[in-house]
Amino acid sequence: MTTTITRRSFLAGSVLLSIEGTLLAQQPAPTSAGVADPALIENLVAAYRILAQQGVLDGFGHVSARHNRAANRFIMSRSLAPELVTAADLIEFDFEGNPVDAKGRALYSERFIHGEIYRARPDVRAVVHNHAPSLIPFSVTTVPLRPMYHMASFIGNGVPIFDIRKSFGMTDMLVSDSAKGKALAQVLADKNCVLMRGHGVAVVGPTIQHAVGRSIYLEVNARVQSQAMALGGNITYLDPQEAQKMMDAGENRGYERPWELWKAKATGK
Amino acid sequence: MTTTITRRSFLAGSVLLSIEGTLLAQQPAPTSAGVADPALIENLVAAYRILAQQGVLDGFGHVSARHNRAANRFIMSRSLAPELVTAADLIEFDFEGNPVDAKGRALYSERFIHGEIYRARPDVRAVVHNHAPSLIPFSVTTVPLRPMYHMASFIGNGVPIFDIRKSFGMTDMLVSDSAKGKALAQVLADKNCVLMRGHGVAVVGPTIQHAVGRSIYLEVNARVQSQAMALGGNITYLDPQEAQKMMDAGENRGYERPWELWKAKATGK
Amino acid sequence: MTTTITRRSFLAGSVLLSIEGTLLAQQPAPTSAGVADPALIENLVAAYRILAQQGVLDGFGHVSARHNRAANRFIMSRSLAPELVTAADLIEFDFEGNPVDAKGRALYSERFIHGEIYRARPDVRAVVHNHAPSLIPFSVTTVPLRPMYHMASFIGNGVPIFDIRKSFGMTDMLVSDSAKGKALAQVLADKNCVLMRGHGVAVVGPTIQHAVGRSIYLEVNARVQSQAMALGGNITYLDPQEAQKMMDAGENRGYERPWELWKAKATGK
Amino acid sequence: MTTTITRRSFLAGSVLLSIEGTLLAQQPAPTSAGVADPALIENLVAAYRILAQQGVLDGFGHVSARHNRAANRFIMSRSLAPELVTAADLIEFDFEGNPVDAKGRALYSERFIHGEIYRARPDVRAVVHNHAPSLIPFSVTTVPLRPMYHMASFIGNGVPIFDIRKSFGMTDMLVSDSAKGKALAQVLADKNCVLMRGHGVAVVGPTIQHAVGRSIYLEVNARVQSQAMALGGNITYLDPQEAQKMMDAGENRGYERPWELWKAKATGK
């Protein structure tokens, strides 16, 4: 099977980027931060599969984790449907989206979402980008996505919307370079999620478990809000103070309890 | 994997509770009521798995049963995702939520929902706490959840809503101590379910089968009501007298028919 | 496991009915029409399982078929969750709901739905009773269920609603005797489906395949109509003439194409 | 199992069509364009199964591909539920819907949808006809289906609706002859999809992957739009220029990434 980005001959120690058909100048590949923690790799692979099983990711979308040995490196899969990702598909990147060693494999064109968020947010150690259908309505409407219940305390401080049209005019909607990634990260600011108008969402967290758990419950919260609003009554949303107290008490207990289940189901371990 | 509640060294015959990081005074552990009926244990384990398979529980929520040998003891799992629960995970508690012997394992922080309901309601022998997404809208809106069809006769006398904010102000939303459990039980009063605003529901029953069956059909009823209201016509709800006659005739025939199916699917037996 | 209807000692050649705890006079059991066509039995068992797999039946509801050897006998399962039904669970009944030989097994209390429809409608050879959640809203609202697309041509002549309250006042909602069955059959009249207010639906057909296929597409049509109405525009429903032409052309081609698939999936054959 | 179209004795080298019971004049069967590319056959079989697994097709609907050796021939299955299709079920047709060699097997009565689209649209190499429930509302309402997010760029130039009633009056709703197929193709014009009022949709593409991918995301887009409109706010739809830029950039990257996953799941390869 051919890949969407033209396969290039592998040039050891250099990067010849061919994105959307544009041949870029060759530049030295970034150096590796070294072998990542095996537990990090295992959890990152599980994250791809969990999010597919939970219906948050389909054939598109991706997850990344900051490298445990270097704050300026992150790890994500080569261009591949999430449910198929294995440890062998993971590649190390710098903030500019340059791979340490892609081994000729195609890359996600939106890896700049990840790189620029890691650059802007030192507290973030994992990023999910997904197109969950129940979230798209909130990305295109004037009705804000709000926390309906305790599982969504992580959006108690709001969910900003990044409209790529505001800064970049008419585009192909993709965050496919560093400039667009930076603009997205700026709208994300200090929040945990940023909706992308007519596209999807980026969700961040201090651990892979948080980014995955937030992605799952953000999707549930969107469904709950849609259904609550359809009932036509007055709604009591989670108060920002309530949300903050839940975050202080340990947001959803670090997602440890569901993570054990999700991982067991996704990896058969 | 570490647990959300700090593991404590096991102190035989005593309880050193460490909840949400607060070290409580050591007190004698409650005595056991003795070995529970194996059928009760089997059904309780099945209940966890059934509710996960039916989409009522996800990685959170829990089920308990009153001990068959002592009215002031109940049994529930250690802190664990419902789908993973086995008989070895079950622990005996007193009404104050003190475990007879936790063997150093983490406990559900909301076990006080169960303890205080058992204390207030001698007729109750099983309790389910869940966050089913279709119920959350009815916990936050001014539109009351009402019985749409014969399968929901158990809410013919109403579904009260417990808003933790009314008695406890801004909290982390969790019923994590006896005072909050008592307040919840007070709102439940003599009903079969109590919605918890921005959180979920507690469902009770005279048997495990009733608490499980009610949890499943309460979720279905919420979806049915949402869809019926969206149609925009006038709705004929189940009359309280009709609901009462169904309860008198044997509410959903004791859930025996679906229980046989649910248990077979959940346990492979 | 005990059954909801008290087990009675088996009295060869007679029927001692114990329904809802009322002991009825002993009467001779109806005679059997003889061994039914094995293909009929196979399709009837498949029907139970298909409707469970397709989400039309859950732990409740039932299917029956008129006996191929006698117009005044029908066959349905003993009281059992549909997904568990095998040929050994099938029992022959007369129109009054008397079993030829129940072998002491509990019976569906709503078998009178079937008996009275077979009596009133000589053209009917199969009946399904289900509580599909998407249908319940249309049973309780003033908004009529209407055919949205060609797969629902069988409701082109309307879907009446049976409100048990009109003739029987406050009841337990169940069609648990011949009088209620007759009233239901009267409202069904010459149609293919009759909604039961706050309860479910009865669907009939000239073959098991028709009754099953109609049950499946009636459920889909209800969802489609709910979604279409929520869009808020003007809707073009299937014209009664269009529906009639589809019926004349061979309603959904006798459901042969999906039946082959449904049966293969439900029975592993 | 008998087939819906009467089996006819096989007449080598000729076609004796019996459609809806009408015996047509015998005419010479079209000549074959030769053995098709095995990869095309493999992908076409996969397409049937993928669309069933993804919930776009149920027991009805079909997919076809233009023959790689002749622009005036296309390949589709005999009349069969999509999930059961294998390579042995594929038959070659001319634009008039005549099979090269049906081997006595029943044919899809709506194969004229495919033939007439291939005739009118030389750029089209694959056609899907489906009845996905979430699309039906948009086929019957005055509310137009519009692109909500980047995955639906292929409808940026609009989705026309074919109402068979406008040209053919009261019918059985089926596109069961060339005249109706031509009328449908005329409404499709140069677009990628055409809704069929009260029936379903036809989706076309330059490859099987495109026709399948578009079918899947068209269904998702319909759900997203329904949910967005139900929220009641103002919606920012994808701008036609944005959609065009996405198409120019390579619509969903040729669906290669999800295709690899879908095919693996559908065929076990």
Side-chain angles (χ1 to χ4, degrees):
Chain A
M1 172 163 291
T2 60
T3 51
T4 49
I5 297 174
T6 312
R7 284 184 189 280
R8 54 189 172 72
S9 43
F10 176 63
L11 301 168
S14 71
V15 180
L16 186 64
L17 289 170
S18 170
I19 298 158
E20 268 94 62
T22 309
L23 198 65
L24 304 182
Q26 188 174 336
Q27 47 177 277
T31 54
S32 172
V35 176
D37 179 359
L40 185 80
I41 297 300
E42 184 179 303
N43 283 333
L44 182 54
V45 169
Y48 275 91
R49 291 165 174 263
I50 287 168
L51 289 169
Q53 282 199 349
Q54 297 288 321
V56 172
L57 296 177
D58 57 4
F60 293 97
H62 19 82
V63 195
S64 68
R66 198 187 287 267
H67 199 299
N68 61 293
R69 293 194 176 205
N72 64 348
R73 293 284 182 277
F74 69 95
I75 302 166
M76 73 187 309
S77 171
R78 67 179 175 99
S79 177
L80 189 65
E83 206 165 335
L84 302 176
V85 170
T86 64
D89 299 306
L90 298 182
I91 298 173
E92 185 183 343
F93 293 91
D94 66 11
F95 287 164
E96 286 74 36
N98 298 313
V100 165
D101 184 358
K103 293 182 184 156
R105 296 171 295 181
L107 308 177
Y108 290 130
S109 66
E110 295 198 299
R111 60 195 182 279
F112 306 95
I113 294 170
H114 302 255
E116 295 303 330
I117 288 175
Y118 287 118
R119 188 199 306 273
R121 288 280 298 273
D123 60 307
V124 168
R125 300 197 69 81
V127 177
V128 172
H129 170 55
N130 75 68
H131 311 153
S134 57
L135 288 177
I136 307 300
F138 289 97
S139 83
V140 298
T141 179
T142 46
V143 176
L145 182 61
R146 297 181 64 177
M148 304 304 294
Y149 73 146
H150 69 313
M151 299 305 298
S153 61
F154 55 88
I155 58 167
N157 56 354
V159 185
I161 300 180
F162 171 70
D163 187 346
I164 199 169
R165 199 189 292 172
K166 284 190 186 153
S167 303
F168 300 93
M170 293 298 159
T171 66
D172 66 1
M173 301 296 288
L174 300 177
V175 177
S176 50
D177 60 36
S178 290
K180 288 168 186 158
K182 277 182 214 296
L184 175 69
Q186 205 164 18
V187 175
L188 169 65
D190 63 342
K191 307 301 189 294
N192 296 317
C193 316
V194 55
L195 288 165
M196 302 159 75
R197 193 266 305 162
H199 182 158
V201 72
V203 179
V204 306
T207 68
I208 292 173
Q209 287 87 335
H210 280 79
V212 168
R214 287 170 180 177
S215 295
I216 290 170
Y217 286 106
L218 188 69
E219 192 275 337
V220 178
N221 190 79
R223 282 188 279 130
V224 167
Q225 184 173 346
S226 297
Q227 290 162 12
M229 294 184 74
L231 290 176
N234 287 320
I235 297 175
T236 303
Y237 295 95
L238 213 61
D239 187 276
Q241 284 186 61
E242 288 172 331
Q244 186 57 51
K245 279 182 183 283
M246 298 195 68
M247 296 297 280
D248 293 345
E251 174 196 342
N252 297 336
R253 306 199 169 278
Y255 299 96
E256 282 191 21
R257 211 188 302 164
W259 181 261
E260 183 183 357
L261 172 67
W262 293 332
K263 193 172 172 182
K265 295 179 85 161
T267 64
K269 287 182 189 175
Chain B
M1 173 166 288
T2 59
T3 51
T4 49
I5 297 174
T6 312
R7 284 183 189 280
R8 54 186 172 74
S9 43
F10 177 63
L11 302 167
S14 72
V15 181
L16 186 63
L17 288 170
S18 169
I19 299 158
E20 267 94 63
T22 308
L23 198 65
L24 304 183
Q26 190 174 333
Q27 48 178 276
T31 54
S32 173
V35 176
D37 179 0
L40 185 80
I41 297 298
E42 184 178 305
N43 282 334
L44 182 53
V45 169
Y48 275 91
R49 292 166 175 263
I50 287 168
L51 289 169
Q53 281 199 349
Q54 298 287 322
V56 172
L57 297 177
D58 58 2
F60 293 97
H62 19 82
V63 195
S64 68
R66 197 188 289 265
H67 199 299
N68 61 293
R69 293 194 177 206
N72 64 347
R73 294 284 183 277
F74 69 95
I75 302 166
M76 72 187 309
S77 171
R78 66 177 176 101
S79 176
L80 188 65
E83 207 165 335
L84 302 176
V85 169
T86 65
D89 299 306
L90 298 182
I91 297 173
E92 184 183 343
F93 293 91
D94 66 12
F95 286 164
E96 286 73 35
N98 298 314
V100 165
D101 183 357
K103 294 182 183 156
R105 296 172 293 181
L107 307 178
Y108 290 131
S109 66
E110 295 197 297
R111 60 195 181 279
F112 306 95
I113 294 171
H114 303 255
E116 296 303 331
I117 288 176
Y118 286 118
R119 188 199 307 272
R121 288 280 299 273
D123 60 307
V124 168
R125 300 198 70 81
V127 177
V128 172
H129 170 54
N130 75 68
H131 312 153
S134 58
L135 289 177
I136 307 300
F138 289 97
S139 83
V140 297
T141 179
T142 46
V143 176
L145 182 61
R146 298 182 63 179
M148 304 305 294
Y149 73 147
H150 68 316
M151 299 304 297
S153 60
F154 55 89
I155 58 167
N157 56 354
V159 185
I161 301 180
F162 171 69
D163 187 345
I164 199 169
R165 199 189 290 171
K166 283 189 188 155
S167 301
F168 300 92
M170 294 297 160
T171 65
D172 65 2
M173 302 296 289
L174 300 177
V175 177
S176 51
D177 60 36
S178 290
K180 289 169 184 156
K182 277 182 214 294
L184 174 69
Q186 205 165 18
V187 175
L188 168 66
D190 63 342
K191 306 301 188 294
N192 295 317
C193 317
V194 55
L195 288 165
M196 301 159 75
R197 193 266 305 163
H199 182 157
V201 72
V203 179
V204 306
T207 69
I208 292 174
Q209 288 86 335
H210 281 79
V212 167
R214 288 171 179 178
S215 296
I216 289 170
Y217 286 106
L218 187 68
E219 193 275 337
V220 178
N221 190 78
R223 282 188 278 131
V224 167
Q225 183 173 346
S226 297
Q227 290 161 13
M229 294 185 75
L231 291 177
N234 287 320
I235 297 175
T236 303
Y237 295 95
L238 212 62
D239 188 275
Q241 285 186 60
E242 288 171 331
Q244 187 57 50
K245 279 182 184 281
M246 299 194 67
M247 296 297 281
D248 294 345
E251 173 197 344
N252 298 333
R253 306 199 169 277
Y255 300 97
E256 283 192 19
R257 212 189 299 164
W259 180 262
E260 182 184 357
L261 173 68
W262 294 332
K263 193 171 172 183
K265 296 180 84 161
T267 65
K269 286 183 192 174
Chain C
M1 172 165 289
T2 60
T3 51
T4 48
I5 297 175
T6 311
R7 284 182 190 281
R8 54 188 172 72
S9 43
F10 176 63
L11 301 167
S14 73
V15 180
L16 187 64
L17 288 170
S18 170
I19 298 157
E20 267 95 61
T22 308
L23 198 66
L24 303 183
Q26 189 174 334
Q27 48 179 274
T31 54
S32 173
V35 177
D37 179 0
L40 185 80
I41 297 299
E42 183 178 304
N43 283 333
L44 182 53
V45 169
Y48 275 91
R49 291 166 176 263
I50 287 168
L51 290 168
Q53 282 199 349
Q54 298 287 321
V56 171
L57 296 178
D58 57 3
F60 293 98
H62 19 82
V63 196
S64 68
R66 197 187 289 266
H67 199 299
N68 60 293
R69 293 194 176 204
N72 64 348
R73 292 285 182 276
F74 68 95
I75 302 167
M76 73 187 308
S77 171
R78 68 177 174 101
S79 176
L80 188 64
E83 207 166 335
L84 302 177
V85 169
T86 65
D89 299 306
L90 298 182
I91 297 173
E92 185 183 342
F93 293 91
D94 66 11
F95 287 164
E96 286 73 36
N98 297 315
V100 165
D101 183 358
K103 293 182 183 156
R105 296 172 294 182
L107 308 178
Y108 290 130
S109 65
E110 294 197 299
R111 60 196 181 278
F112 307 95
I113 294 172
H114 303 255
E116 295 302 331
I117 287 176
Y118 287 118
R119 189 199 304 272
R121 287 279 300 273
D123 61 306
V124 168
R125 301 197 69 80
V127 176
V128 172
H129 170 54
N130 75 68
H131 312 153
S134 58
L135 290 177
I136 307 300
F138 289 97
S139 83
V140 297
T141 179
T142 46
V143 176
L145 183 61
R146 297 182 62 178
M148 305 304 295
Y149 73 145
H150 68 315
M151 300 304 298
S153 61
F154 55 88
I155 58 168
N157 57 353
V159 185
I161 300 180
F162 170 70
D163 187 346
I164 199 168
R165 200 189 292 172
K166 284 190 186 155
S167 301
F168 300 92
M170 294 296 159
T171 65
D172 66 2
M173 302 296 288
L174 300 177
V175 178
S176 50
D177 60 35
S178 290
K180 289 168 185 158
K182 277 183 213 297
L184 174 70
Q186 205 164 18
V187 175
L188 169 66
D190 63 342
K191 307 300 189 295
N192 296 316
C193 316
V194 55
L195 288 164
M196 301 159 76
R197 193 266 306 162
H199 182 156
V201 72
V203 180
V204 306
T207 68
I208 292 174
Q209 287 86 335
H210 281 79
V212 168
R214 287 170 180 178
S215 296
I216 290 170
Y217 286 106
L218 188 69
E219 192 275 337
V220 178
N221 189 79
R223 283 188 278 129
V224 167
Q225 183 174 347
S226 297
Q227 290 162 12
M229 294 184 75
L231 290 177
N234 287 320
I235 297 174
T236 303
Y237 294 95
L238 213 61
D239 188 276
Q241 284 186 60
E242 288 171 332
Q244 187 56 51
K245 280 182 183 282
M246 299 193 68
M247 296 297 280
D248 294 344
E251 175 197 344
N252 297 334
R253 307 196 169 280
Y255 300 97
E256 284 192 20
R257 211 189 301 164
W259 181 262
E260 183 183 359
L261 172 68
W262 293 332
K263 192 171 171 183
K265 296 179 84 162
T267 63
K269 285 182 192 175
Chain D
M1 173 163 290
T2 60
T3 51
T4 50
I5 296 173
T6 311
R7 284 183 190 281
R8 52 187 174 72
S9 43
F10 177 62
L11 301 167
S14 72
V15 180
L16 186 64
L17 287 170
S18 169
I19 298 158
E20 268 93 61
T22 308
L23 199 65
L24 303 183
Q26 189 174 335
Q27 46 177 277
T31 53
S32 173
V35 177
D37 178 0
L40 185 80
I41 297 300
E42 184 178 306
N43 283 333
L44 183 54
V45 169
Y48 275 91
R49 292 165 175 263
I50 287 167
L51 289 168
Q53 281 199 348
Q54 298 288 322
V56 171
L57 296 177
D58 56 4
F60 293 96
H62 20 82
V63 196
S64 68
R66 197 187 287 268
H67 199 299
N68 60 293
R69 292 193 176 206
N72 64 349
R73 293 284 182 277
F74 69 94
I75 302 166
M76 73 188 308
S77 171
R78 67 178 175 99
S79 177
L80 188 64
E83 206 165 335
L84 301 177
V85 170
T86 65
D89 299 306
L90 299 182
I91 298 174
E92 185 182 342
F93 294 91
D94 67 11
F95 287 163
E96 286 73 35
N98 297 315
V100 166
D101 183 358
K103 293 182 184 155
R105 295 171 295 181
L107 307 177
Y108 290 131
S109 66
E110 294 197 299
R111 60 195 182 279
F112 306 96
I113 294 171
H114 303 254
E116 295 302 330
I117 287 177
Y118 287 118
R119 188 199 305 273
R121 287 280 298 274
D123 61 307
V124 167
R125 300 196 70 81
V127 177
V128 172
H129 169 54
N130 75 68
H131 312 154
S134 57
L135 289 176
I136 307 301
F138 289 98
S139 82
V140 297
T141 179
T142 46
V143 176
L145 183 61
R146 297 182 62 178
M148 304 305 293
Y149 73 146
H150 69 315
M151 299 304 298
S153 60
F154 55 88
I155 58 167
N157 56 354
V159 185
I161 299 180
F162 170 70
D163 187 346
I164 199 169
R165 200 189 291 173
K166 284 189 187 156
S167 301
F168 300 92
M170 294 298 159
T171 66
D172 66 2
M173 301 296 288
L174 300 178
V175 177
S176 50
D177 60 36
S178 290
K180 288 168 185 158
K182 277 183 214 296
L184 175 70
Q186 204 165 18
V187 175
L188 169 66
D190 63 341
K191 306 301 188 295
N192 296 316
C193 316
V194 55
L195 287 165
M196 301 159 76
R197 193 268 305 164
H199 181 158
V201 73
V203 180
V204 305
T207 68
I208 293 174
Q209 288 87 335
H210 280 79
V212 168
R214 287 171 180 177
S215 296
I216 291 170
Y217 285 106
L218 188 70
E219 192 275 339
V220 178
N221 189 80
R223 282 188 279 131
V224 167
Q225 183 173 347
S226 297
Q227 290 162 13
M229 294 184 76
L231 290 176
N234 287 320
I235 297 175
T236 303
Y237 294 95
L238 212 61
D239 188 275
Q241 285 187 59
E242 288 172 331
Q244 187 57 51
K245 279 182 183 282
M246 299 194 68
M247 296 297 281
D248 294 344
E251 175 196 342
N252 296 335
R253 305 196 170 281
Y255 299 96
E256 284 193 19
R257 211 189 299 165
W259 180 261
E260 182 183 358
L261 172 68
W262 294 332
K263 193 172 171 182
K265 295 179 83 160
T267 63
K269 288 182 190 174

